């Protein structure tokens, strides 16, 4: 390890515009260098270059291709060993780079060839007629099975391709997915040991395909991933949903780029997985529900989006929170207790105080949620809602109020304390309907109809209801006669 460290360098960069000096820790999304102080606690973030490798060439190729002002930065190469002392001296020298030109010359990186190569590539590259969507599809074509060395798989890992095919997971692996947990038998010191792992395929630069095992971990790493240090909020999200809940810039060690990525935990192996944002498409529709612009933007940002009225394969409607999952390279569906925690950030500007706060959407049980209702709930008051639909398709009326402590709506037929009701000036006819349908009260003109009133109804609506009302009234009079009651 010490010998390898002696053969590695890092890049010191000076921003000629701001005077900032630091160690390169990759590239930002705009192509500018990502800087870190030259201190031991940041050592794992530094981009390191083997003196006989091509990582430096890759870094500068990407830098000149992405950075709009490349000449704004000056690069200096120093050895990893003793770096802190060297950088301390170089900081003083770089305060006057012209005056100390000769002293800095041995460390100065001549980037002329990289700049010329980038300019030539721009001139020679014709405009691409295909849409970005098509490019992404082409980039992720299924793996060519003819390049798979089945004998090598069995020799190195004790896994037979035919067994994977019969288990129904081979096609998924060819499509850049992973198998379920299987037992493979790698050979270590001439002895084969059973290892529980998920398997995937990797395409190598020479065109061959390798088998990649993803061993079972005892527990997930909730501290960090590559250059990303997880925050308390990140850890909370990973524990609850298995997803980071945001987009993170993950360092590509081969190119030095910071790649915007989604991060998730493989629930079967506890392995941390990242996938670039650029390779996943945000859908316009999920399970029959159209996504609006805000929902698509929230989904693209890694957040959970609560959807109502989706349709399962069996044709049954369901509600759930959807979220990008890096391991699946697709969508997660969260139900039950997870739902409330993943509604955060979608509350029309409201910031939740805890993960169980009720998300007030556009509708509730089939009824639109009006601005007046939101105003009442903001005051923690009950709001009358007429025509709600229960799970069996029956309509009902109720006073409603979000219960943020329990993460759900509360429903009441009556409210004893009228000061707790937020009035939206309902018509008198509607009040009559609520009293009869929900409060159990009666109306002389309709008390024998025997079914819920329509909105605004204070009298029998048709001949059938009129007959029901008359029959009921006759029975009432007959009963009173038999009991000797006066009418």
């Amino acid at each position: 390890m010490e010998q390898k460290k002696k053969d590695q360098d890092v890049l010191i960069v000076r921003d000629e515009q701001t005077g900032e000096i630091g160690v390169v820790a990759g590239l930002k999304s705009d192509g500018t260098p990502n800087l870190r102080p030259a201190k031991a606690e940041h050592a794992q973030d530094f981009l390191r270059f083997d003196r006989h490798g091509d990582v430096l060439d890759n870094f500068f190729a990407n830098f000149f291709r992405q950075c709009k002002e490349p000449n704004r930065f000056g690069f200096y190469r120093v050895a990893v060993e003793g770096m802190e002392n060297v950088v301390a001296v170089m900081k003083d020298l770089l305060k006057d780079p012209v005056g100390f030109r000769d002293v800095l010359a041995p460390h100065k990186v001549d980037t002329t060839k990289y700049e010329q190569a980038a300019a030539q590539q721009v001139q020679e590259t014709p405009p691409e007629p295909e849409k970005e969507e098509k490019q992404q599809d082409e980039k992720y074509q299924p793996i060519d099975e003819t390049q798979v060395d089945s004998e090598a798989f069995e020799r190195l890992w004790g896994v037979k391709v035919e067994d994977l095919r019969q288990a129904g997971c081979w096609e998924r692996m060819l499509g850049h997915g992973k198998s379920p947990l299987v037992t493979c038998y790698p050979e270590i010191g001439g002895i084969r040991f059973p290892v529980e792992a998920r398997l995937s395929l990797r395409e190598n630069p020479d065109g061959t395909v390798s088998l990649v095992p993803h061993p079972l971990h005892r527990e997930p790493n909730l501290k960090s991933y590559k250059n990303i240090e997880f925050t308390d909020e990140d850890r909370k999200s990973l524990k609850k949903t298995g997803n980071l809940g945001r987009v993170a810039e993950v360092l590509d060690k081969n190119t030095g780029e910071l790649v915007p990525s989604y991060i998730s935990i493989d629930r079967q192996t506890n392995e941390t997985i990242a996938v670039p944002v650029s390779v996943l498409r945000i859908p316009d529709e999920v399970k029959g529900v159209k996504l609006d612009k805000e929902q698509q933007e929230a989904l693209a940002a890694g957040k959970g989006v609560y959807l109502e009225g989706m349709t399962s394969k069996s044709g049954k409607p369901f509600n759930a929170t959807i979220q990008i999952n890096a391991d699946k390279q697709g969508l997660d569906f969260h139900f039950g207790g997870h739902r409330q925690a993943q509604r955060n950030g979608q509350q029309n500007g409201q910031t939740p105080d805890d993960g169980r706060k009720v998300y007030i959407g556009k509708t509730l049980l089939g009824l639109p949620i009006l601005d007046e209702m939101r105003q009442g709930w903001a005051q923690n008051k009950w709001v009358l809602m007429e025509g709600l639909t229960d799970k069996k398709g029956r309509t009902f009326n109720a006073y409603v109020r979000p219960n943020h402590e329990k993460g759900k709506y509360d429903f009441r037929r009556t409210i004893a304390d009228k000061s707790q009701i937020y009035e939206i000036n309902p018509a008198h006819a509607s009040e009559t309907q609520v009293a009869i349908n929900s409060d159990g009260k009666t109306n002389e003109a309709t008390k024998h109809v025997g079914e819920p009133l329509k909105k605004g109804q204070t009298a029998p609506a048709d001949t059938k209801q009129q007959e029901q009302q008359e029959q009921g009234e006759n029975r009432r009079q007959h009963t009173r006669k038999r009991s000797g009651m006066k009418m």
Side-chain angles (χ1 to χ4, degrees), residues 15 43 58 65 81 103 155 322 424 443 466:
D15 187 332
N58 293 334
R65 177 169 52 85
E81 190 176 28
V103 181
R155 182 177 66 255
I322 61 173
I424 310 182
N443 178 306
Q466 181 64 43

Side-chain angles (χ1 to χ4, degrees), residues 204-421:
N204 302 314
D206 62 0
T208 61
V209 177
S210 299
L211 183 70
V212 180
H214 303 269
L216 184 65
H217 298 266
R218 177 174 295 181
E219 58 186 22
N221 179 1
L222 299 178
K223 294 182 179 180
S224 63
Y225 175 73
K226 293 187 176 180
N227 61 304
I228 306 296
E229 293 290 333
F230 294 140
T231 65
D232 290 340
E233 192 64 30
D234 291 339
R235 286 189 282 273
K236 180 180 177 181
S237 181
L238 288 168
K239 283 181 179 180
K240 287 190 173 182
T241 70
N243 304 314
L244 189 63
R246 65 181 176 90
V247 172
E249 294 192 326
V250 177
L251 178 65
D252 186 327
K253 292 289 187 180
N254 293 324
T255 65
E257 290 182 276
L258 287 175
V259 183
S261 305
Y262 301 112
I263 295 177
S264 301
I265 302 295
D266 183 333
R267 294 188 180 92
Q268 295 187 50
T269 66
N270 287 326
E271 179 185 18
T272 306
I273 304 293
V275 63
V277 169
S278 61
V279 309
L280 298 181
R281 292 172 53 194
I282 302 302
D284 298 320
E285 179 180 317
V286 177
K287 301 290 185 181
V289 176
K290 293 281 188 181
L291 302 184
D292 60 30
K293 183 178 179 181
E294 290 183 1
Q295 290 171 325
Q296 288 183 310
E297 289 177 350
L299 200 60
K303 299 177 181 178
V305 175
Y306 183 67
L307 293 185
E308 294 182 334
M310 290 181 285
T311 305
S312 66
K313 290 182 179 180
S314 63
K316 294 183 179 180
F318 71 99
N319 307 328
T321 296
I322 61 173
Q323 190 174 30
I324 294 292
N325 181 283
D327 178 47
K328 294 180 179 179
Q329 296 192 20
L331 294 178
D332 253 350
F333 291 82
H334 301 290
F335 304 90
H338 292 294
R339 179 181 66 190
Q340 308 300 336
Q342 290 148 355
R343 290 172 172 174
N344 298 351
Q346 306 171 51
Q347 305 190 26
N348 301 322
Q350 302 175 30
T351 302
D353 295 326
D354 76 52
R356 294 185 61 82
K357 189 162 185 174
V358 176
Y359 164 59
I360 301 175
K362 296 181 179 179
T363 62
L364 176 64
L365 297 182
L367 283 185
I369 293 178
L370 307 177
D371 290 339
E372 291 89 340
M373 296 175 180
R374 295 177 186 274
Q375 293 170 9
W377 290 335
Q379 300 175 33
N380 196 33
K381 291 191 174 184
W382 296 90
V383 172
L384 173 63
M385 296 189 73
E386 303 169 285
L388 298 165
T389 305
D390 64 18
K391 293 181 180 179
K392 296 183 179 180
R394 298 174 300 193
T395 57
F396 69 101
N397 308 318
Y399 292 96
V400 183
R401 184 176 67 179
N403 186 329
H404 295 301
E405 292 183 359
K406 295 183 178 180
K408 66 181 186 66
Y409 284 99
D410 285 339
F411 298 84
R412 296 288 185 271
R413 292 183 179 274
T414 60
I415 302 297
D417 185 354
K418 299 303 181 183
S419 67
Q420 293 299 308
I421 299 175

Side-chain angles (χ1 to χ4, degrees), residues 156-170:
L156 295 173
W157 300 104
V159 174
K160 294 182 179 181
V161 170
E162 192 56 37
D163 291 342
L164 296 173
R165 195 190 308 277
Q166 291 181 5
C169 54
W170 182 243

Side-chain angles (χ1 to χ4, degrees), residues 66-67 77 84 137 179 256 285 301 342 376 402:
Q66 298 178 46
C67 187
R77 187 168 179 167
E84 290 188 47
D137 291 342
S179 73
E285 179 180 317
Q342 290 148 355

Side-chain angles (χ1 to χ4, degrees), residues 27 63 78 88 113 153 171 193 238 240 250 269 297 340 433:
L27 295 176
F63 169 71
V78 301
K113 65 176 183 179
F153 285 10
E171 289 299 320
F193 294 89
L238 288 168
K240 287 190 173 182
V250 177
T269 66
E297 289 177 350
Q340 308 300 336
Q433 177 193 351

